[in-house]
Amino acid sequence: MTTEIQATAAASGANATERFRENKKTAASSSQERVNLLASRVIKAINDTVLEEKVTYDEYNAFKAWLIQVGEDGEWPLFLDVWVEHSVEQVANENRAGTKGSIEGPYYVPNSPRLESPATLPMRENEQGTPLLLQGSITNLAGEPLPGATVEIWHADDEGFYSQFAPGLPEWNLRATVAADAEGRYMINTMQPAPYQIPTDGSCGRLIAAAGWHAWRPAHLHLKISAPGYQLITSQLYFKGDEHVGDDIASAVKPELILDPTPRTDNRGREVSYDFVLDPE
Ligand code: DHB
Ligand code: FE
């Protein structure tokens, strides 16, 4: 089991770096003015910390060695998405009135298989865990249904592993793009994801251990909801009662995004409704 988890952690970091390069390669570069401003501020924040906390050469060298190791482990995507992305998301979505956003994280893969609602996510025949039915409507701010909407969903399995980032999982396990029906409603059958521990055997894990933090994210579903003429929202949904919903290492939980599923009447797992609201373009 330990070997399996370690293999997974190493593979996850390397895959996340590769994926990032593939997905974000069209990103526009910033102006000289902006680079000057932002780089100067980050460098100043580090220098202020050194001066105020009287950082020693030992500490400086430990920091330097750790930064080198983060690169060698391929863990920059993990580091940034856990400790920085939540603020970027807050700024990006602060003017929206619809469904709250949350971080994308390092494990999104575009172009997942397209399914019509009601849908069952691709999963193994013996997929472990509690079945979960997630359903609801997708509307605009006026409450009008958006029949052309889609719900992209991806999440970890019952052991906390993501397909295409952990070894041994089918390519699109627990990933799909679900098209809403003619009434703008969606219905998705999946398996309850497990709480997720960011890889502990790499440099991010070493930082967490050295600082006495924990590595947990609460169990979560990742989503991208979109419809023609509306702004795509990237978000996550969490589960009431989860031990880590109040202290997510990635600081990505919002109270509006916490589900409270109930047992299904047919006794097949749990079900919950969640209505998405999209802002116009
Ligand atoms: C990380 C992993 C996640 O599943 C997530 O949602 C956010 C961040 C990470 O390992 O960095
Ligand atoms: Fe995640």
Side-chain angles (χ1 to χ4, degrees):
M1 192 62 194
T2 310
T3 323
E4 188 184 314
I5 287 168
Q6 285 176 354
T8 297
S12 295
N15 286 355
T17 301
E18 250 169 62
R19 290 293 180 178
F20 175 76
R21 288 195 176 123
E22 281 167 24
N23 295 351
K24 309 282 160 98
K25 60 182 173 224
T26 57
S29 61
S30 304
S31 68
Q32 185 185 68
E33 194 185 14
R34 230 12 218 171
V35 174
N36 179 20
L37 172 73
L38 300 181
S40 299
R41 280 205 58 174
V42 171
I43 291 167
K44 183 172 187 308
I46 295 172
N47 280 280
D48 286 349
T49 306
V50 171
L51 296 173
E52 286 165 25
E53 302 300 336
K54 300 196 184 301
V55 170
T56 65
Y57 259 103
D58 276 352
E59 289 167 337
Y60 172 68
N61 287 330
F63 179 54
K64 199 166 169 178
W66 181 79
L67 288 174
I68 292 166
Q69 196 60 46
V70 176
E72 285 180 3
D73 292 347
E75 287 202 348
W76 279 119
L78 276 60
F79 174 86
L80 290 166
D81 293 351
V82 163
W83 284 296
V84 183
E85 191 189 350
H86 64 94
S87 296
V88 181
E89 186 280 321
Q90 184 183 325
V91 172
N93 294 327
E94 65 189 356
N95 294 322
R96 291 199 195 210
T99 299
K100 296 284 180 197
S102 186
I103 65 172
E104 179 178 298
Y107 300 144
Y108 171 63
V109 184
N111 305 315
S112 58
R114 190 182 164 94
L115 306 174
E116 300 293 322
S117 178
T120 298
L121 296 193
M123 64 178 83
R124 291 160 288 184
E125 229 165 71
N126 61 344
E127 192 70 45
Q128 298 300 298
T130 308
L132 176 70
L133 170 62
L134 174 69
Q135 61 183 327
S137 62
I138 303 154
T139 66
N140 62 17
L141 294 172
E144 293 159 348
L146 302 175
T150 58
V151 178
E152 267 186 279
I153 180 168
W154 71 102
H155 64 83
D157 67 12
D158 186 52
E159 290 188 283
F161 294 141
Y162 284 87
S163 60
Q164 300 191 40
F165 294 88
L169 293 168
E171 189 177 17
W172 295 105
N173 213 55
L174 304 175
R175 296 175 183 271
T177 302
V178 178
D181 67 16
E183 278 80 53
R185 298 194 59 82
Y186 73 93
M187 191 183 273
I188 297 170
N189 288 286
T190 187
M191 283 292 173
Q192 171 74 37
Y196 171 84
Q197 205 173 10
I198 74 159
T200 50
D201 63 315
S203 32
C204 290
R206 278 178 50 215
L207 171 63
I208 288 166
W213 303 337
H214 73 74
W216 292 97
R217 297 215 62 219
H220 57 278
L221 305 170
H222 288 273
L223 302 140
K224 284 180 186 282
I225 300 95
S226 61
Y230 292 84
Q231 294 181 51
L232 178 151
I233 185 80
T234 300
S235 195
Q236 297 188 25
L237 292 171
Y238 304 92
F239 299 90
K240 192 177 166 186
D242 188 305
E243 193 187 338
H244 298 288
V245 97
D247 70 347
D248 176 12
I249 182 142
S251 310
V253 179
K254 299 179 185 179
E256 298 87 344
L257 300 175
I258 300 175
L259 303 172
D260 188 9
T262 52
R264 285 181 65 168
T265 42
D266 60 7
N267 262 336
R268 290 183 39 232
R270 303 197 300 164
E271 66 185 358
V272 68
S273 279
Y274 197 84
D275 297 335
F276 297 108
V277 181
L278 298 184
D279 283 69
E281 258 170 12

